[in-house]
């Protein structure tokens, strides 16, 4: 046997195993494609369910808004129906929107048919009577022939009494048709209720049951209603056609008694995979024949061994093992270069995977903090309006009950509780970065030096406190009061983690941050800053606790010993001031929190004069009060009249401008910052001073998305933060009217 024959035999033997493996891989690929098609079938069902969940959530939000609409809170049936009709035109996915009285009778209807209905026997109505949220029930209309999802929402008064039930009928047929178009008619969509009634049926020839029919005893219904997690089911119809069905496992839709299924013929599902398998096997056969013609000349034991190393590396990479490497020695020539390139590629991919995972974590943290900030800011805004009324009226009660010791004490307790609520909302607004700040251009090191005794006082003798204040630090625009509160929070936190004593260091120095210097959310904010660092030698934090340290209401202290708002307030204040927060902590190694405040771009031209003492006294001027909240407006009007002022009120900016255009004296405009109707307080002030030059302006705000800036043409405007006491209101009014120091 000559050498060429021997080599040919060796090549054939060497190729036999890889050819078998490749063939097996093709078979595996076919199986994977079939599994992918099945997964796509399940994903389609779950996507439809998720989309329906979003539609339900959107309807719940619509209900929530409608429940608070003034046009709905009326006993005028025609007006109510007209309003719902306008709403339905904006939401064509509903066949109807109506309100039901607590006795089960239809009150108003978006269709405006003046029909009479008694809905007491409907399941969704009974459930809505005792529910606090939306109630769902799929229904097939025997008369209309349309399947809908009834979405009911109980509208309750502030005292919890049921006023009415909002009902929206979501069109399931149109919803299914839209999804069927997205599925390119390759899949069929079926919707069934818990009784087995077909709500939506496919239009294909393979389905025989009409809409409204019952399939309660069928294999398909048993599969859909089964409580287990079986995802797929093959069913054969009477004509021998086999369908593969997937059912959505969404808890919300199943709890509502709605089963969403997507089906496809088995032949169509596997046809693509079979065709690709045959093509791959044919390509493999042709390639093998061509390869035999060339490789048997070039194949050697050495080349085969090196190729084996490359194949092993490639397989590991294909399985996702980016730590795999081809070890030395590498051969010379192209194979060695390929091994080096493969190693370098794996190294690069591993670094990219690490970087992507890190970015995902940072993005998730940033989005979570921002979302929580939006939520807390909105809650604090509503509370501040309520607390203004509670605090003011409790002062009235305390004055009038001065002769009754017990009732006077109760009124004082109400005021104290309202002030504590104000502290809570102030912390929430600080985290949400919506608190009204009063920044000043200050030397932070000098300010902290003035606060030294205040910061030392709560520590106790068992904690050593050191101040390291660098001279000639840059000026920064910071609210001094909020700075003091933030530092005091950090000092108290440090004290609590050093119960047996330790060392606390407060440091102030200039610092420049680069792209690699990240805040607690992983964001780079390069620039020049004044750094304030608070370092303790306490117990420290784990990495998991550190990632949540700045979340509102998160605390590791015992119940009743901490609100969890300290660090969140610090975070919000620094970010609202345009700064950066960093923290380092390890268990047993203590913690350091660094606050970075932006360097003032230019030095101030002059130093602000010290504030004069404001003396509150009664007045006789005319004040225009603009406030959209009825209770707050009534309270302010009463207080101003008590103080001797003449009061004119308006609920929005347009109404206020009409009053300003009329003749008569108006000495001061007292306006809320954020109001409905498209005109906020600063814009109202700008137009008002245009109509009446020299008009004094006093703003009030429960929160502001941005710092309140004095508009052009408005001189010496001030802001009074909600909630406020009577003396605060009186003093600020006199200061604004007299033009005294702010």
């Amino acid at each position: 046997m000559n050498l060429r024959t021997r080599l040919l035999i060796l090549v054939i033997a060497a190729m036999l195993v890889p050819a078998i493996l490749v063939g097996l891989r093709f078979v595996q690929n076919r199986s994977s494609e079939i599994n992918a098609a099945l997964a796509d079938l399940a994903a389609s069902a779950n996507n439809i369910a998720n989309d329906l969940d979003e539609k339900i959530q959107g309807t719940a939000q619509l209900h929530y808004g409608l429940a608070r609409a003034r046009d709905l809170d009326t006993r005028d049936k025609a007006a109510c129906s007209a309003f719902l009709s306008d709403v339905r035109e904006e939401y064509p996915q509903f066949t109807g929107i109506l309100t039901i009285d607590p006795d089960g009778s239809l009150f108003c209807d978006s269709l405006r048919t003046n029909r009479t209905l008694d809905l007491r026997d409907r399941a969704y109505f009974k459930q809505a009577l005792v529910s606090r949220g939306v109630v769902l029930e799929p229904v097939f209309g025997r008369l209309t022939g349309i399947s809908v999802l009834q979405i009911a929402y109980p509208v309750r008064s502030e005292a919890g009494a049921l006023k009415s039930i909002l009902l929206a009928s979501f069109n399931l047929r149109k919803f299914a048709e839209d999804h069927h178009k997205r599925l390119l008619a390759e899949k069929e969509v079926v919707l069934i209720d818990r009784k087995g009634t077909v709500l939506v049926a496919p239009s294909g020839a393979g389905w025989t049951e009409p809409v409204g029919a019952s399939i309660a005893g069928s294999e398909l219904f048993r599969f859909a209603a089964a409580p287990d997690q079986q995802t797929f089911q093959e069913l054969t119809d009477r004509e021998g056609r086999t369908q593969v069905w997937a059912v959505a496992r969404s808890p919300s839709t199943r709890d509502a008694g709605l089963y969403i299924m997507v089906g496809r013929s088995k032949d169509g599902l596997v046809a693509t995979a079979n065709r690709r398998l045959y093509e791959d096997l044919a390509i493999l056969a042709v390639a093998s024949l061509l390869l035999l013609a060339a490789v048997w000349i070039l194949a050697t034991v050495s080349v085969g061994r090196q190729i084996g190393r490359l194949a092993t590396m490639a397989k590991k990479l294909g399985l996702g093992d980016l730590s795999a490497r081809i070890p030395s020695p590498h051969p010379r020539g192209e194979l060695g270069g390929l091994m080096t390139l493969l190693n370098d590629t794996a190294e690069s991919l591993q670094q990219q995977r690490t970087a992507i995972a890190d970015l995902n974590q940072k993005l998730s943290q940033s989005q979570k903090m921002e979302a929580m900030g939006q939520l807390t800011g909105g809650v604090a805004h509503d509370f501040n309006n309520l607390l203004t009324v509670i605090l003011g009226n409790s002062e009235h009660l305390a004055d009038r009950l001065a002769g009754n010791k017990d009732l006077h004490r109760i009124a004082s307790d109400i005021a104290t509780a309202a002030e504590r609520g104000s502290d809570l909302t102030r912390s929430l607004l600080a985290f949400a970065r919506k608190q009204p700040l009063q920044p000043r251009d200050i030397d932070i090191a000098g300010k902290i030096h003035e606060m030294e005794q205040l910061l030392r006082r709560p520590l106790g003798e068992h904690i050593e406190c050191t101040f390291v204040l660098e001279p000639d630090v840059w000026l920064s625009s910071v609210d001094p009061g909020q700075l003091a509160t933030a530092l005091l929070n950090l000092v108290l936190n440090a004290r609590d983690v050093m119960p047996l004593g330790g060392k606390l260091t407060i440091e102030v120095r200039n610092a420049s941050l680069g792209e690699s210097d990240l805040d607690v959310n992983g964001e780079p904010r390069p620039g020049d800053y004044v750094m304030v660092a608070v370092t303790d030698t306490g117990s420290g934090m784990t990495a998991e606790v550190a990632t949540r340290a700045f979340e509102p209401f998160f605390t590791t202290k015992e119940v009743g010993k901490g609100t969890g708002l300290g660090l969140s307030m610090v975070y919000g204040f620094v970010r609202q001031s345009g700064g950066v927060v960093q923290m380092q902590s390890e268990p047993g190694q203590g913690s350091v929190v660094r606050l970075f405040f932006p360097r003032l771009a230019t030095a101030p031209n002059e130093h602000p004069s010290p504030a004069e003492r404001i003396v509150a006294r009664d007045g006789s001027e005319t004040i225009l009060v603009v406030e959209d909240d009825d209770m707050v407006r009534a309270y302010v009007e009463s207080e101003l009249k008590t103080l001797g002022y003449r009061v004119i009120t308006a609920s929005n900016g347009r109404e206020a401008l009409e009053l300003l255009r009329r003749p008569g004296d108006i000495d001061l405009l007292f306006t809320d910052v954020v109001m409905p109707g498209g005109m906020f307080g600063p814009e109202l002030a700008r137009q008002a001073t245009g109509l009446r030059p020299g008009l004094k302006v006093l703003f009030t705000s429960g929160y502001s998305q941005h710092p309140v800036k004095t508009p052009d043409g408005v001189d010496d405007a001030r802001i009074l933060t909600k909630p406020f006491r009577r003396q605060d209101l009186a003093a600020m009014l006199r200061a604004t009217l007299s033009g005294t120091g702010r």
Side-chain angles (χ1 to χ4, degrees):
M1 186 179 295
N2 58 36
L3 179 59
R4 181 170 297 183
T5 303
R6 293 176 183 272
L7 289 175
L8 181 58
I9 293 174
L10 290 175
V11 169
I12 293 174
M15 289 183 58
L16 185 59
V17 173
I20 293 174
L21 293 177
V22 172
L24 291 175
R25 183 61 180 270
F26 288 159
V27 174
Q28 291 175 353
N29 287 342
R30 175 184 179 276
S31 177
S32 298
E33 290 184 6
I34 294 175
N35 291 335
L38 290 173
D40 179 67
L41 203 63
S44 298
N46 288 325
N47 287 340
I48 295 174
N50 293 337
D51 187 33
L52 184 58
D53 285 342
E54 292 179 3
K55 296 294 189 301
I56 293 171
Q57 293 174 9
T59 305
Q61 294 175 359
L62 174 63
H63 280 334
Y64 184 85
L66 290 178
R68 286 150 183 79
R70 295 182 179 179
D71 293 339
L72 198 66
D73 191 13
T74 177
R75 297 309 298 173
D76 187 341
K77 185 173 183 179
C80 177
S81 296
F83 171 66
L84 290 182
S85 178
D86 293 338
V87 172
R88 183 185 171 275
E89 289 183 3
E90 296 296 324
Y91 298 90
Q93 65 268 37
F94 301 113
T95 61
I97 304 175
L98 49 87
T99 62
I100 308 169
D101 285 334
D103 61 358
S105 62
L106 174 63
F107 177 64
C108 61
D109 186 355
S110 64
L111 300 179
R112 295 195 280 189
T113 59
N114 293 322
R115 53 181 172 167
T116 301
L117 292 177
D118 185 355
L119 305 174
R120 286 176 297 176
D121 61 335
R122 307 299 169 87
Y124 57 81
F125 175 79
K126 296 177 182 178
Q127 190 175 353
L129 290 176
V130 298
S131 174
R132 290 283 179 178
V134 296
V135 177
L136 309 175
E137 183 183 6
V139 175
F140 170 71
R142 297 289 179 183
L143 298 178
T144 63
I146 298 176
S147 298
V148 296
L149 180 62
Q150 302 286 28
I151 305 176
Y153 176 80
V155 180
R156 299 184 181 275
S157 65
E158 293 182 357
L162 182 66
K163 297 169 63 179
S164 63
I165 294 176
L166 270 168
L167 181 66
S169 300
F170 182 79
N171 193 331
L172 290 176
R173 184 178 65 185
K174 186 176 184 303
F175 172 78
E177 288 174 354
D178 291 341
H179 276 280
H180 185 262
K181 293 177 182 178
R182 296 176 190 173
L183 297 176
L184 302 177
E186 294 179 352
K187 307 179 184 73
E188 301 290 353
V189 180
V190 175
L191 273 62
I192 304 171
D193 68 10
R194 60 162 54 94
K195 297 178 181 179
T197 303
V198 178
L199 301 176
V200 175
S203 57
W207 183 268
T208 57
E209 299 295 338
V211 174
S214 176
I215 61 168
S218 66
E219 288 291 332
L220 182 60
F221 177 74
R222 283 193 287 272
F223 161 64
D228 57 18
Q229 296 300 314
Q230 182 180 355
T231 308
F232 308 102
Q233 179 76 36
E234 288 187 16
L235 296 174
T236 304
D237 60 18
R238 298 175 213 143
E239 295 167 6
R241 291 184 296 245
T242 301
Q243 291 277 114
V244 180
W245 291 95
V247 63
R249 295 297 179 181
S250 170
S252 58
T253 55
R254 292 179 70 86
D255 291 343
L258 180 62
Y259 305 128
I260 300 174
M261 290 181 292
V262 176
R264 186 178 181 184
S265 69
K266 184 176 180 180
D267 292 339
L269 186 140
V270 301
T272 301
N274 287 338
R275 184 177 63 254
R276 187 165 299 171
L277 173 63
Y278 300 148
E279 292 173 353
D280 290 342
L281 291 176
I283 292 173
L284 174 62
V286 173
S288 298
L289 292 175
L290 294 176
L291 191 61
L292 280 174
V295 168
W296 70 277
I297 301 174
L298 303 174
T300 63
V301 176
S302 175
V303 172
R305 184 172 59 85
Q306 300 300 341
I307 291 177
R309 298 173 69 193
L310 287 168
T312 301
M313 173 69 173
K315 185 176 181 180
K316 290 181 179 179
L317 291 178
L319 295 174
D321 183 8
L322 298 182
S323 63
R325 299 292 184 273
I326 299 177
S328 299
H330 294 173
R332 296 180 181 180
E334 291 79 6
L335 286 177
L338 182 58
M339 291 178 179
T340 302
L341 177 61
L342 200 57
N343 281 345
D344 293 342
T345 301
E347 181 70 26
S348 176
L349 289 174
Q350 189 173 28
Q351 293 175 358
Q352 291 178 30
R353 174 185 284 178
T354 302
I356 290 172
D358 186 52
L359 287 175
N360 284 337
Q361 190 275 332
K362 292 172 182 176
L363 176 61
S364 175
Q365 179 70 8
S366 177
Q367 291 174 336
K368 178 174 65 175
M369 298 290 275
E370 183 64 24
M372 295 180 75
Q374 293 291 334
L375 172 63
T376 53
V379 171
H381 164 253
D382 293 339
F383 267 111
N384 274 337
N385 275 339
L386 297 174
L387 291 173
T388 299
V389 179
I390 294 172
L391 184 60
N393 288 323
S394 64
E395 287 185 313
H396 275 301
L397 288 175
D399 291 344
R400 296 191 179 187
L401 299 173
N404 189 320
K405 183 177 179 180
D406 291 336
L407 294 179
H408 183 271
R409 179 184 57 79
I410 292 174
S412 298
D413 289 344
I414 295 173
T416 301
E419 287 184 329
R420 290 182 180 178
S422 175
D423 293 337
L424 175 63
T425 57
R426 191 175 298 112
S427 296
L428 291 173
L429 287 173
F431 170 75
R433 289 173 273 166
K434 296 177 182 177
Q435 61 178 337
L437 296 180
Q438 298 179 353
R440 290 171 47 197
D441 301 339
I442 63 172
D443 174 1
I444 293 181
K447 183 65 180 178
I448 293 179
H449 179 70
E450 297 173 3
M451 297 164 48
E452 183 172 338
Q453 292 305 317
L454 172 67
L455 298 175
R456 288 183 183 273
R457 189 174 299 121
L459 292 177
E461 297 180 354
H462 64 296
I463 296 178
E464 177 186 352
C465 183
T466 304
F467 288 80
V468 182
L469 308 178
E470 181 181 283
D472 301 325
V473 298
W474 298 318
L475 293 180
S476 185
S477 181
V478 180
D479 186 323
Q482 293 295 332
L483 174 64
T485 302
L487 285 176
L488 192 58
N489 270 319
L490 294 177
V491 168
L492 292 175
N493 279 349
R495 180 200 64 186
D496 293 342
V497 297
M498 296 187 291
L500 301 180
K503 183 176 181 180
L504 177 69
T505 303
I506 300 176
E507 178 186 5
V508 181
R509 62 179 175 84
N510 297 330
S512 295
L513 299 183
E515 291 290 342
S516 60
D517 298 308
L518 309 178
D519 70 356
V520 292
N521 282 335
E523 300 177 5
R525 299 171 66 90
D528 293 334
Y529 296 87
V530 177
M531 185 200 74
V532 180
V534 179
T535 306
D536 64 68
T537 58
S539 56
M541 290 179 278
T542 63
E544 180 181 1
V545 172
T547 57
R548 302 189 60 194
F550 292 93
E551 294 181 8
F553 304 113
F554 176 77
T555 179
T556 57
K557 299 178 182 178
E558 298 178 9
V559 176
K561 293 187 177 181
T563 64
L565 289 173
L567 285 180
S568 66
M569 185 279 291
V570 173
Y571 167 82
F573 159 62
V574 176
R575 290 301 301 269
Q576 190 175 1
S577 301
V580 176
V581 180
Q582 293 181 349
M583 183 176 69
Q584 293 178 338
S585 183
E586 293 183 10
Q589 301 298 318
S591 304
V592 55
V593 179
R594 298 184 180 90
L595 315 180
F596 295 86
F597 297 96
R599 175 186 182 181
L600 197 64
T602 58
N605 295 327
E606 58 182 4
H607 296 286
S609 58
E612 299 177 10
R613 185 172 182 269
I614 300 174
V615 179
R617 59 182 175 83
D618 292 346
S620 59
E621 291 88 347
T622 300
I623 298 176
L624 173 57
V625 177
V626 187
E627 169 63 58
D628 62 286
D629 189 287
D630 295 339
M631 290 192 296
V632 177
R633 186 172 62 252
Y635 159 67
V636 173
E637 180 181 7
S638 174
E639 287 289 354
L640 294 180
K641 288 182 178 179
T642 302
L643 293 171
Y645 295 100
R646 179 174 174 268
V647 183
I648 305 172
T649 62
S651 61
N652 55 62
R654 299 187 185 280
E655 185 179 335
L657 290 176
E658 290 296 326
L659 294 173
L660 288 167
R661 293 188 181 98
R662 299 175 185 174
D665 294 335
I666 297 179
D667 300 289
L668 182 140
L669 171 65
F670 183 47
T671 177
D672 197 2
V673 172
V674 179
M675 294 185 294
M679 183 181 294
F680 283 7
E683 175 61 19
L684 170 61
R686 187 187 68 79
Q687 296 191 32
T689 53
L691 293 172
R692 296 188 178 222
L695 177 68
K696 301 292 185 180
V697 178
L698 175 60
F699 293 110
T700 182
S701 176
Y703 88 102
S704 179
Q705 183 72 23
H706 306 286
V708 180
K709 297 181 179 179
T710 302
D712 295 338
V714 181
D715 299 327
D716 197 29
R718 292 166 169 80
I719 182 167
L720 180 62
T721 304
K722 297 177 184 177
F724 45 79
R725 282 186 172 273
R726 181 189 307 159
Q727 60 266 28
D728 299 330
L729 175 62
M732 189 62 78
L733 284 171
R734 293 316 314 163
T736 306
L737 287 166
S738 61
T740 58
R742 303 177 72 168

